[in-house]
């Protein structure tokens, strides 16, 4: 599986830690930046990441900002993107299984890197259930 990951300045340090974590698990990673803790605009990185996902150049995405909220709002503006803000392992599993989320958003000012890696592991390791009722519900809100 190939992952794409991005952050703003608020998520930069956590992004680097998550990249190292997944590299040690043998994953291929596309890092869309940011490349330093200098202040920047999170929608720029949400766009870079969703462009790669939509082009089929990665399977799942991870976006990190201070809260995870701005990144999730920005990513969810993009057709075909289902971004989920998760700060616990249960939600990460549920959003893959029920919502077929393709982007995980987290806030580096909300949780630490240890928990973030556990949440990201659960997100990446959980398949979509393919349950008919979940497919129907995703299809319903995708047309809104
Ligand atoms: C940047 O200060 C902060 O606003 C951003 O990282 C994020 O939390 C926005 O939702």
């Amino acid at each position: 599986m190939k992952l794409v990951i991005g952050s703003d300045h608020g998520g930069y340090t956590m992004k680097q830690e998550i990249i190292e974590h997944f590299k040690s698990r043998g994953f291929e990673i596309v890092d869309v930046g940011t490349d330093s803790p200098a202040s920047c605009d999170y929608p720029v990185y949400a766009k870079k990441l969703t462009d790669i996902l939509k082009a089929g150049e990665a399977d799942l995405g991870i976006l990190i900002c201070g809260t995870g909220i701005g990144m999730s709002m920005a990513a969810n503006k993009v057709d075909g993107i289902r971004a989920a803000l998760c700060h616990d392992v249960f939600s990460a599993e549920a959003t893959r299984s029920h919502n077929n989320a393709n982007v995980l958003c987290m806030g580096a000012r909300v949780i630490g890197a240890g928990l973030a890696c556990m949440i990201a592991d659960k997100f990446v390791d959980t398949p979509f259930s393919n349950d008919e009722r979940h497919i129907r519900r995703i299809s319903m809100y995708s047309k809104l």
Side-chain angles (χ1 to χ4, degrees):
M1 185 181 295
K2 195 165 170 180
L3 302 178
V4 56
I5 183 163
S7 76
D8 72 353
H9 55 289
Y12 171 70
T13 302
M14 181 180 280
K15 171 170 71 71
Q16 301 311 114
E17 289 173 303
I18 292 176
I19 288 171
E20 287 315 307
H21 172 73
F22 278 106
K23 278 187 176 167
S24 76
R25 285 190 59 188
F27 281 75
E28 198 178 339
I29 308 286
V30 181
D31 179 2
V32 296
T34 186
D35 299 321
S36 84
S39 182
C40 62
D41 299 324
Y42 60 83
V44 170
Y45 299 95
K47 164 99 170 70
K48 285 176 189 276
L49 181 139
T50 56
D51 281 350
I52 286 188
L53 267 185
K54 290 204 73 169
E57 292 164 14
D59 302 295
L60 292 171
I62 300 173
L63 282 170
I64 305 156
C65 63
T67 59
I69 297 170
M71 282 296 199
S72 61
M73 288 179 166
N76 276 317
K77 297 294 285 182
V78 180
D79 192 35
I81 297 300
R82 294 174 299 281
L85 175 60
C86 298
H87 289 132
D88 67 274
V89 171
F90 175 83
S91 298
E93 181 173 27
T95 200
R96 286 287 304 129
S97 176
H98 291 207
N99 313 123
N100 198 13
N102 49 13
V103 178
L104 170 66
C105 300
M106 295 184 286
R109 296 174 185 157
V110 182
I111 56 171
L115 177 55
C117 287
M118 290 177 73
I119 291 167
D121 278 343
K122 185 59 83 175
F123 185 83
V124 164
D125 294 339
T126 303
F128 179 48
S129 64
N130 259 312
D131 186 291
E132 183 278 328
R133 71 189 192 282
H134 295 313
I135 294 170
R136 181 179 70 247
R137 291 164 188 163
I138 293 165
S139 167
M140 285 170 74
Y141 74 68
S142 297
K143 292 177 198 141
L144 293 176

